[in-house]
Each structure stands twice: as structure tokens, then as C-alpha cells.
Amino acid sequence: MSHATHSRLIWIYDPDWTADDLAVANDAAFVFNIVLPITILRVGTLITTVMNGAATVAFDRRVLTDSDTGRVNGLDSSGNGVIIIPTTTAVGKLVHKDLASSPVDCNPGDQIIAEVTSAATSGAGRHFVEYIVRDETAANCSDMIATA
């Protein structure tokens, strides 16, 4: 399915503009909270410190906020949300994985966790998610509750 007619949005997770240390595995420090129905088209990392050794980053999907119950490793059952950042990747390079042929739908209340699963010797980066907002009403999103 083509998404060329939609406006693509980029979400860079940078609280206080701090990059993720790609030499530390299993920290799960970078959490994207989903508040709208979205379709993820691309995930990746902007390199901010040159890589010494390769790193693997998994973008996992939590279907329950702050809970690993039902957590989907690599966004889907095929693990499409996993990127491998090569050694010696330079500052300013964007290492990404295109999900256009198998985009991932997320709903309000879901979370995307960017987690280093295989650490480099050194290196750092800022993770991002590229997505489109799905045309959907709040009434059709089970985790959205209207209030008076």
C-alpha cells in the first residue's frame, strides 16, 4: 500500500536532547507514547557519536502502557522493527529500516520502546519513528475514553 499522499511525520525521542548510549544494552530508556492511531512506516537512529563496533536496536511495541505483557519484539511477529547500526557509522548518518511494504499500526495507549539489544563498544544516537496518522474516530479506539 502506498502512503505517498499522506503527510509523513517524524518523531525524534529526545528528552533534554540526550542521545542514547549505544554501548549500553537492554536499558529500554527511550519510550514513545502513542496518543493517536498511527501507522509506522520507518524506524531508525540518527548517529550523534561515531560508532566503534556495530549495535542492534529493536523498536518493540507495547500494547499496554508501561507493561511488557503482550510486548511485540521488533514491532511485529517478523521482527521488522530491528535495525543494525554498522561499525564506524559517522556522525549525522541516519540508519533506518523502511516498513512501507509491511507498515505497523499502533493505537492510542500503545508504546514503542527503542532498546539496544546488542551493544557497540562506543557510539550514540537519537532514535526516531516515521509515521502517518490514521483516519479513525476516538470511538473506535478501545483505549480512548470520552469524558463529560
Side-chain angles (χ1 to χ4, degrees):
M1 170 165 50
S2 173
H3 298 285
T5 59
H6 289 78
S7 295
R8 291 180 182 224
L9 302 170
I10 301 288
W11 188 358
I12 297 179
Y13 186 85
D14 272 325
D16 304 321
W17 290 99
T18 302
D20 190 10
D21 184 348
L22 300 174
V24 177
N26 304 316
D27 60 354
F30 290 82
V31 178
F32 299 87
N33 291 295
I34 309 299
V35 296
L36 295 169
I38 65 171
T39 299
I40 298 176
L41 305 175
R42 179 178 291 143
V43 293
T45 301
L46 168 65
I47 303 304
T48 58
T49 303
V50 69
M51 297 296 295
N52 180 8
T56 302
V57 177
F59 290 81
D60 295 349
R61 181 168 54 101
R62 283 182 176 159
V63 294
L64 296 171
T65 300
D66 294 333
S67 172
D68 285 334
T69 300
R71 182 171 172 162
V72 181
N73 294 327
L75 291 179
D76 62 19
S77 60
S78 299
N80 286 320
V82 177
I83 63 169
I84 298 171
I85 303 170
T87 189
T88 69
T89 302
V91 172
K93 299 297 182 185
L94 289 142
V95 180
H96 69 91
K97 183 167 249 184
D98 219 344
L99 305 174
S101 63
S102 57
V104 176
D105 287 340
C106 292
N107 296 309
D110 289 358
Q111 292 177 312
I112 303 300
I113 312 297
E115 182 170 12
V116 177
T117 57
S118 177
T121 303
S122 63
R126 294 186 177 106
H127 308 296
F128 67 89
V129 174
E130 182 176 326
Y131 65 96
I132 57 170
V133 177
R134 289 197 325 269
D135 294 326
E136 188 58 82
T137 63
N140 288 336
C141 297
S142 63
D143 288 331
M144 294 187 79
I145 301 169
T147 184

